[in-house]
Amino acid sequence: MKKIILITGATSGFGKAIAIKFAEQGHNLIVTGRRKDRLDDLKKKLEQDSKSEVLALCFDVRNAADVEKNIQALPEKWRLIDVLVNNAGLAVGLHPIHEGVLEDWERMIDTNMKGLLYMTRFVAPLMVARKKGHIINIGSIAGKEVYPNGNVYCGSKFGVDAITKGTRIDLVQHNIKVSQIAPGAANTEFSVVRFKGDKARADNVYKGFQPLLAEDVAEAVYYVSALPDHVNVNDLVLMPTAQASAMHFHKE
């Protein structure tokens, strides 16, 4: 049975892989992102490679007014959102707290927490009205354990963890599932963004072990979404085999 899946941050990394996975399974997609060229390319690829219908919406989840406008303006058939994947997120910088860059802090908090909240605030009422839906938040091992210089990023992901739990309590009476997927080290654009384009430094993060791939996270998201109606995965922590905790790795 076809579902409508809304995925934020769909133009790269986890979001793109999640969109491809759901399209392969024949579901219809609302994909959002800030980069219109990438968004248009993704829409074209998904429609060429699958039988899915795709609605592409170019906006920044950090802007509450844009989030509200785009959700409120959805055509009637696209308002029947079955799954919201709050994927948009990033880490910027890796500094001790006393050397932190305020602009970096703002970007992480505005995207990782406030963007997720804005999307949930305007999509959840559509689910409540139908007494049906599933919200899947992409967290992180950094929302379970802190590590040196991860201060604000970890704080934002701890926030996602708490918001997910609170949202589940608020929406359980409306028959809405709420889940979190919390990946460990994953080789996407994540570290390139964190190190502001320094690809050599980003690549060094993953040397000596096999990190997760975006497709691995997409598989986990799809699995959680495809369980029977009476089953919800509250929290799924997904790690490379070579990673035991946020800071413990086996590297060759």
Side-chain angles (χ1 to χ4, degrees):
M1 186 173 172
K2 277 195 175 187
K3 295 180 179 178
I4 294 176
I5 318 295
L6 194 166
I7 304 162
T8 66
T11 57
S12 65
F14 296 160
K16 184 176 181 179
I18 292 165
I20 291 169
K21 179 64 181 180
F22 276 101
E24 287 173 349
Q25 302 302 317
H27 298 296
N28 294 330
L29 302 171
I30 304 171
V31 291
T32 84
R34 294 178 295 114
R35 295 172 285 193
K36 189 175 187 308
D37 55 340
R38 289 196 181 193
L39 203 56
D40 291 343
D41 288 346
L42 177 63
K43 173 180 165 66
K44 184 177 179 182
K45 173 181 172 55
L46 294 172
E47 290 179 336
Q48 284 179 344
D49 295 350
S50 72
K51 296 181 179 179
S52 299
E53 293 182 59
V54 181
L55 177 65
L57 300 177
C58 187
F59 65 89
D60 190 335
V61 297
R62 295 177 296 178
N63 187 317
D66 280 355
V67 173
E68 181 177 17
K69 180 178 73 174
N70 277 273
I71 299 304
Q72 300 292 5
L74 285 172
E76 196 60 36
K77 77 170 188 174
W78 287 104
R79 295 173 68 83
L80 305 176
I81 297 166
D82 295 289
V83 181
L84 166 62
V85 183
N86 277 315
N87 166 73
L90 77 171
V92 191
L94 193 66
H95 299 92
I97 197 77
H98 61 289
E99 297 174 4
V101 179
L102 298 188
E103 182 184 352
D104 294 348
W105 292 2
E106 297 288 351
R107 283 182 67 192
M108 288 186 280
I109 292 168
D110 287 350
T111 306
N112 299 352
M113 292 182 65
K114 291 166 69 175
L116 178 149
L117 285 167
Y118 298 154
M119 289 299 302
T120 302
R121 173 61 183 84
F122 295 112
V123 173
L126 304 178
M127 296 179 171
V128 169
R130 297 168 60 214
K131 293 283 187 182
K132 180 181 181 183
H134 194 171
I135 297 170
I136 302 176
N137 294 331
I138 305 300
S140 171
I141 187 61
K144 307 289 186 181
E145 308 168 31
V146 296
Y147 51 81
N149 302 331
N151 40 68
V152 175
Y153 176 67
C154 292
S156 72
K157 288 299 187 178
F158 266 77
V160 170
D161 187 68
I163 290 164
T164 302
K165 292 172 181 174
T167 303
R168 186 182 308 118
I169 291 168
D170 291 345
L171 296 180
V172 67
Q173 64 184 309
H174 301 291
N175 193 43
I176 295 168
K177 298 184 184 186
V178 183
S179 305
Q180 177 181 227
I181 308 292
N187 191 359
T188 64
E189 288 184 356
F190 177 86
S191 287
V192 176
V193 173
R194 164 167 267 175
F195 298 128
K196 302 180 181 179
D198 187 340
K199 191 166 188 316
R201 188 178 178 193
D203 289 345
N204 193 54
V205 172
Y206 308 110
K207 280 187 177 176
F209 75 103
Q210 173 63 61
L212 297 174
L213 304 176
E215 291 77 11
D216 301 323
V217 176
E219 288 286 345
V221 171
Y222 182 76
Y223 165 75
V224 167
S225 77
L227 291 168
D229 287 346
H230 70 285
V231 180
N232 182 56
V233 173
N234 288 359
D235 198 12
L236 193 161
V237 180
L238 185 69
M239 304 280 269
T241 303
Q243 183 179 10
S245 72
M247 292 183 60
H248 293 88
F249 295 83
H250 173 69
K251 297 187 178 184
E252 299 291 345

